[in-house]
């Protein structure tokens, strides 16, 4: 099931030119629609990293990752969305 990225996380990572953000909880895949004239893929990766998540080859900021709820950390078991 797709759910929007939580508003507090989105506000922390807000980048100009971002049009939509979707998180597929089951696959752990974040999809960002953006205007490439207003921001870059690299800027978006850094912003996601600052939230505590890996973004392609950019690893999660360790301090931000430690602040995530346990269920959102890399070591957490799979989500059960029933």
């Amino acid at each position: 099931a797709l759910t929007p990225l939580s508003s507090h996380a989105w506000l922390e990572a807000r980048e100009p030119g971002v049009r939509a953000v979707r998180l597929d909880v089951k696959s752990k895949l974040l999809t960002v629609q953006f205007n490439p004239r207003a921001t870059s893929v690299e800027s978006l990766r850094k912003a996601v990293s600052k939230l505590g998540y890996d973004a392609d080859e950019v690893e999660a900021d360790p301090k931000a990752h430690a602040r995530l709820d346990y269920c959102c950390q890399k070591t957490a078991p799979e989500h059960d969305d029933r």
Side-chain angles (χ1 to χ4, degrees):
L2 289 174
T3 58
L5 184 64
S6 65
S7 59
H8 73 278
W10 170 239
L11 291 174
E12 289 180 58
R14 183 161 52 202
E15 286 287 319
V18 172
R19 296 179 179 147
V21 179
R22 302 286 286 175
L23 175 64
D24 184 326
V25 175
K26 188 170 182 134
S27 71
K28 300 180 182 178
L29 181 67
L30 180 72
T31 303
V32 180
Q33 293 179 341
F34 67 98
N35 178 346
R37 293 183 186 134
T39 192
S40 68
V41 172
E42 189 58 31
S43 291
L44 294 171
R45 287 181 180 133
K46 288 178 184 177
V48 170
S49 171
K50 289 178 185 178
L51 291 173
Y53 301 100
D54 292 342
D56 297 328
E57 67 277 357
V58 178
E59 292 203 17
D61 176 275
K63 289 181 182 178
H65 185 265
R67 289 191 302 262
L68 294 174
D69 291 336
Y70 175 71
C71 63
C72 295
Q73 294 184 5
K74 296 177 193 181
T75 57
E78 291 294 318
H79 290 275
D80 186 5
D81 293 338
R82 286 185 249 173

